[in-house]
Amino acid sequence: MPLISLRNIRKHYGGYGEAPKVEVLRGIDLDIDRGEFVSIVGASGSGKSTLMHIIGCLDTPTSGEYLFEHEDVASLSRDQLARLRSKVFGFVFQAYHLIPTESARENVEVPAIYAGIDEVTRQARAIQLLSGLGLGERLDHRPSQLSGGQQQRVSIARALINGGTVILADEPTGALDRESGDQVMTLLRGFAAEGHTVVLITHDQQVAASADRIIEIQDGRIVRDMRNPRMKRVQDAAVARTDTGYETSLGSTPIHPPGRALGRLLPGVTDACRAAWRVLNTNRARTLLTLLGIIIGVASVVTMLAVGEGAKREVMSRLNAMGSNLLQIGSSRPKSGGPRGVITEEDIEAIAKIPEVRRVMPILRDDALVRFGSFSRNFEVLAPTEVMPEVNRWPVLHGRFFTREENRNVAPVVVLGYRAYQYYFPDAGNPLGHQVLIKDAPYEIIGVMSEKASESGHINHDERLYVPRRTGMVRVFPDQRDESYLVVEVVDSEQLYRAQENIETLLLARHGRADFWLNNAAARQQAELEARNSLTMMLALIAAISLLVGGIGVMNVMLMTVRERVREIGIRLASGARQRDIHRQFIVEATLVSLVGGVTGILLSVVVIAALALLEVPVAPSLNALLGAVACAVITGVVFGLMPARQAARLHPVAALNRE
Ligand code: ADP
Ligand code: MG
């Protein structure tokens, strides 16, 4: 009952379009039993390698039937074929085909990774196998640090790590000196004796003569198939052993079937990460250049956002301090000439009825001589209504503000601005209950306002005294008939402009001429805020574009990497990697580059932001921007890694292995 059974296998290339048809295999019938040591011998170009690739499920025949353990290989899915390569076949190539960036031990482990064997077990096995092959001292050497014979022994260890039920060796001695070649042949013979099925491919009759059975191939046809009379091998003994004889002699390892569970995905990702890291580390200069794009992209996104947010917050705080929903209105001489306008009580009532207006605070104001003890000075005296602390969002520091009753009753009370308080009470004594003289009339101090630094510039709230409005009208400024100005509080700061328009229309209609002024400082600030917002957006957009360019750089490098590493991909596929394993590896690599770039970019932006802060540029770094930028970098890596990864995963194993 043969292990491998080929029936009328044909393989041809081309034959369509321009390419001429090349018939490589012209009807191969071949049975190989478990435990056989077969050599396939023939001239160069006779189709030996093609046949071996078909047997090893690296390639598919054009026609014919291939049964492996009675199962029609043509009916297997790609993943099942990968699994077969991983669990059953071990390849040894003339050119060794080791992954140049990985150490001897890691190269041996590759098939075990794809078979899902855990790290500890596969490391132990690899070390054991390499030590058994005399490479115990060379575990951490790269292929380039090993001789040809040593490299070939590493590849033999790799063929054995998952059991090596069938060892397919394609001209394994072709590149070796005589001594190393003999060593390799001795090993192969030993494996055959231990029960492995060994298929040796060679053009050399002398090498072929080491096998128990010699099959000669010529122009894609088997021309001779004979037992080797020179080799007296006790075949029964070999067959009696199981195909895992080698495995048991080394300590058996269960091979986990590939599952879909997360438990299998995670180690896969860890391995992919490690492999990726090694590749990045090997090409440091190139990695750095790739990273640069991402680093600059992320750093500029984060910095721009921090600077933009800082500027925005500064304007916002100015806006809030001033009251983002306040308008000032006063009377003036119209530009067209004529007397100064008068804002009447009726005007105030009408304005208060506009839907966008929450309340109106009329204010009288004038300078007056204010005396306290031996201190005497002209101060601006304001006479607002009792709502002033609320409207201006300006708390009282000592004592209290005047009440509605005090206003109605024309109470002789006064609240001092902070600077006025400092002027009259340089020792910071308690002012409450004392009397100041305003225009020689006494007023009781009932409170001191907290300090309000001048934010709008031209008015200093702190250098003032505040009396109730009616007190002002009746007592302080009895001659003044006009309101000095009104402060209008709008329901919602978004409605400032609408409120302003409505008030203008209303006053124009009532007065018949533009004899008033309207100050909308908050609206100006808001316009500034919007301008700054759009500037920030623009800067962030430019930064994002640089991140995009960085991503394209990653893609470019990844595409180059795929091209450079076609051979490696072929090796991985021959070692049992599924398409999705290859895909994942390249995605992980691209993501890792981007992630490293992203984190470095953040560090850079932290430095830049700190420097800006030292230069007193307002900056407001936000965690969200940081995380967002890193997320962007990672997404960039994944997105721009997709195409290269797909390209890599779609490679044909044989084409990949043979690519120069
Ligand atoms: P051997 O290993 O016996 O030297 P191969 O199996 O490598 O021979 O190749 C057998 C023949 O198939 C050669 O003539 C080679 O040119 C041809 N061949 C192999 N691969 C291809 C291909 N992808 N396209 C066209 N011809 C190919
Ligand atoms: Mg060949």
Side-chain angles (χ1 to χ4, degrees):
M1 200 160 284
L3 178 67
I4 288 164
S5 179
L6 303 178
R7 287 289 166 273
N8 196 20
I9 291 290
R10 288 174 182 276
K11 178 75 179 178
H12 62 247
Y13 293 104
Y16 36 80
E18 299 273 293
K21 185 165 170 175
V22 186
E23 279 196 87
V24 180
L25 298 178
R26 305 161 190 247
I28 300 277
D29 290 297
L30 177 62
D31 288 325
I32 298 174
D33 288 328
R34 214 173 258 278
E36 267 195 287
F37 182 12
V38 180
S39 69
I40 297 175
V41 66
S44 173
S46 55
K48 308 181 296 290
S49 296
T50 308
L51 181 59
M52 188 198 86
H53 293 145
I54 289 173
I55 293 175
C57 299
L58 286 173
D59 205 354
T60 47
T62 314
S63 68
E65 196 182 42
Y66 173 14
L67 301 179
F68 184 86
E69 281 187 319
H70 313 295
E71 187 148 20
D72 187 357
V73 168
S75 69
L76 299 180
S77 71
R78 262 202 279 252
D79 283 359
Q80 284 173 314
L81 288 175
R83 178 133 180 254
L84 206 55
R85 287 198 293 267
S86 145
K87 282 195 67 180
V88 174
F89 296 108
F91 296 92
V92 180
F93 299 97
Q94 175 175 4
Y96 327 128
H97 286 334
L98 299 176
I99 299 171
T101 48
E102 313 219 335
S103 71
R105 178 179 56 73
E106 287 159 345
N107 264 291
V108 173
E109 281 181 47
V110 170
I113 292 176
Y114 296 122
I117 294 174
D118 69 274
E119 196 180 332
V120 178
T121 317
R122 68 175 192 248
Q123 270 192 19
R125 287 205 58 147
I127 293 170
Q128 203 171 8
L129 282 166
L130 285 169
S131 306
L133 294 171
L135 290 169
E137 311 282 292
R138 297 281 186 276
L139 296 176
D140 296 320
H141 287 227
R142 295 262 174 84
S144 60
Q145 299 166 322
L146 297 172
S147 74
Q150 289 170 330
Q151 289 188 60
Q152 196 59 299
R153 275 181 280 153
V154 173
S155 92
I156 288 172
R158 181 178 61 191
L160 290 172
I161 190 145
N162 286 345
T165 307
V166 180
I167 294 174
L168 299 171
D170 188 355
E171 308 267 12
T173 59
L176 299 179
D177 58 82
R178 184 161 192 107
E179 196 184 330
S180 309
D182 287 347
Q183 256 180 12
V184 166
M185 288 313 301
T186 312
L187 285 171
L188 290 179
R189 221 175 291 134
F191 299 143
E194 280 176 335
H196 294 262
T197 307
V198 178
V199 179
L200 167 70
I201 283 173
T202 179
H203 65 277
D204 186 339
Q205 294 283 356
Q206 215 178 328
V207 172
S210 321
D212 304 326
R213 177 180 167 197
I214 303 169
I215 294 165
E216 200 171 325
I217 183 169
Q218 229 172 61
D219 276 338
R221 284 197 190 86
I222 292 178
V223 293
R224 197 159 59 116
D225 184 347
M226 59 160 208
R227 301 271 147 210
N228 189 352
R230 286 205 290 142
M231 286 290 151
K232 281 242 174 294
R233 186 153 156 258
V234 195
Q235 198 151 6
D236 295 342
V239 172
R241 296 191 186 201
T242 63
D243 57 314
T244 51
Y246 198 79
E247 203 178 359
T248 33
S249 73
L250 279 170
S252 135
T253 320
I255 295 172
H256 308 295
R260 266 169 242 116
L262 189 72
R264 214 186 102 67
L265 181 75
L266 259 170
V269 169
T270 332
D271 288 324
C273 272
R274 203 171 309 152
W277 179 252
R278 214 153 22 223
V279 170
L280 301 180
N281 202 30
T282 316
N283 298 309
R284 264 184 231 150
R286 190 172 74 188
T287 304
L288 199 73
L289 287 177
T290 320
L291 287 179
L292 220 52
I294 298 278
I295 292 173
I296 293 173
V298 167
S300 50
V301 168
V302 173
T303 310
M304 290 308 165
L305 288 177
V307 169
E309 186 64 26
K312 194 167 122 184
R313 286 204 193 161
E314 203 187 42
V315 178
M316 288 274 265
S317 73
R318 249 190 286 160
L319 201 57
N320 281 336
M322 156 187 305
S324 59
N325 53 349
L326 300 182
L327 287 170
Q328 281 89 31
I329 303 163
S331 57
S332 68
R333 240 173 249 286
K335 284 207 186 88
S336 50
R340 191 186 168 84
V342 175
I343 293 176
T344 61
E345 290 293 327
E346 289 75 34
D347 288 335
I348 296 172
E349 273 166 36
I351 290 171
K353 279 188 189 125
I354 292 174
E356 288 87 10
V357 172
R358 180 180 288 153
R359 52 190 163 188
V360 181
M361 176 172 73
I363 297 172
L364 288 172
R365 116 180 124 183
D366 207 348
D367 284 354
L369 187 68
V370 182
R371 283 200 289 146
F372 177 73
S374 56
F375 299 100
S376 173
R377 199 185 126 178
N378 261 325
F379 268 103
E380 192 175 40
V381 177
L382 249 67
T385 52
E386 70 284 349
V387 295
M388 191 193 80
E390 266 175 69
V391 168
N392 283 352
R393 291 176 213 171
W394 184 17
V396 174
L397 181 67
H398 297 303
R400 59 180 180 85
F401 206 68
F402 50 79
T403 62
R404 189 190 249 285
E405 279 64 43
E406 284 169 326
N407 184 27
R408 192 176 330 122
N409 301 336
V410 198
V413 292
V414 66
V415 177
L416 304 183
Y418 192 73
R419 295 252 193 112
Y421 161 66
Q422 283 181 321
Y423 177 75
Y424 292 112
F425 295 88
D427 302 328
N430 179 11
L432 303 181
H434 290 284
Q435 307 245 316
V436 292
L437 298 171
I438 303 175
K439 292 185 176 172
D440 289 327
Y443 295 81
E444 186 191 339
I445 301 172
I446 58 167
V448 177
M449 299 305 292
S450 57
E451 189 170 15
K452 188 175 177 95
S454 59
E455 39 309 267
S456 48
H458 61 288
I459 327 161
N460 191 337
H461 289 69
D462 295 327
E463 293 208 8
R464 283 182 186 152
L465 282 73
Y466 299 88
V467 298
R469 175 163 178 255
R470 282 176 49 77
T471 306
M473 282 162 74
V474 176
R475 295 182 190 259
V476 189
F477 321 115
D479 308 331
Q480 198 175 327
R481 280 206 264 101
D482 180 20
E483 299 302 331
S484 290
Y485 64 100
L486 311 176
V487 172
V488 174
E489 187 184 13
V490 176
V491 174
D492 182 338
S493 56
E494 311 241 307
Q495 293 169 337
L496 264 177
Y497 273 115
R498 187 116 55 85
Q500 179 183 352
E501 276 169 22
N502 287 345
I503 292 167
E504 276 170 344
T505 317
L506 180 89
L507 286 180
L508 263 178
R510 292 180 66 91
H511 294 192
R513 52 186 201 140
D515 55 0
F516 55 89
W517 56 262
L518 207 144
N519 180 24
N520 189 348
R524 259 186 281 125
Q525 297 275 332
Q526 263 181 355
E528 189 184 336
L529 195 63
E530 270 154 40
R532 272 176 196 271
N533 257 343
S534 49
L535 190 71
T536 307
M537 288 313 295
M538 209 175 72
L539 289 176
L541 194 71
I542 293 172
I545 287 171
S546 75
L547 190 58
L548 189 76
V549 172
I552 292 172
V554 171
M555 174 159 76
N556 188 20
V557 167
M558 288 308 295
L559 283 173
M560 265 164 49
T561 313
V562 170
R563 202 158 307 152
E564 269 173 25
R565 287 159 65 200
V566 165
R567 185 77 68 77
E568 175 193 326
I569 294 162
I571 296 167
R572 290 183 182 278
L573 288 169
S575 303
R578 294 163 301 172
Q579 282 195 325
R580 86 180 83 126
D581 294 319
I582 302 291
H583 196 266
R584 180 167 61 198
Q585 185 185 341
F586 280 85
I587 289 283
V588 166
E589 270 180 40
T591 310
L592 197 67
V593 180
S594 307
L595 190 66
V596 171
V599 171
T600 317
I602 282 186
L603 295 181
L604 180 64
S605 72
V606 168
V607 172
V608 172
I609 290 173
L612 286 175
L614 279 180
L615 296 172
E616 290 184 354
V617 176
V619 281
S622 88
L623 190 64
N624 282 347
L626 291 187
L627 296 179
V630 171
C632 277
V634 171
I635 291 169
T636 310
V638 173
V639 169
F640 288 104
L642 273 178
M643 190 164 89
R646 256 177 48 163
Q647 227 182 51
R650 282 188 176 175
L651 284 169
H652 188 279
V654 173
L657 276 173
N658 291 338
R659 190 86 63 87
E660 287 311 313

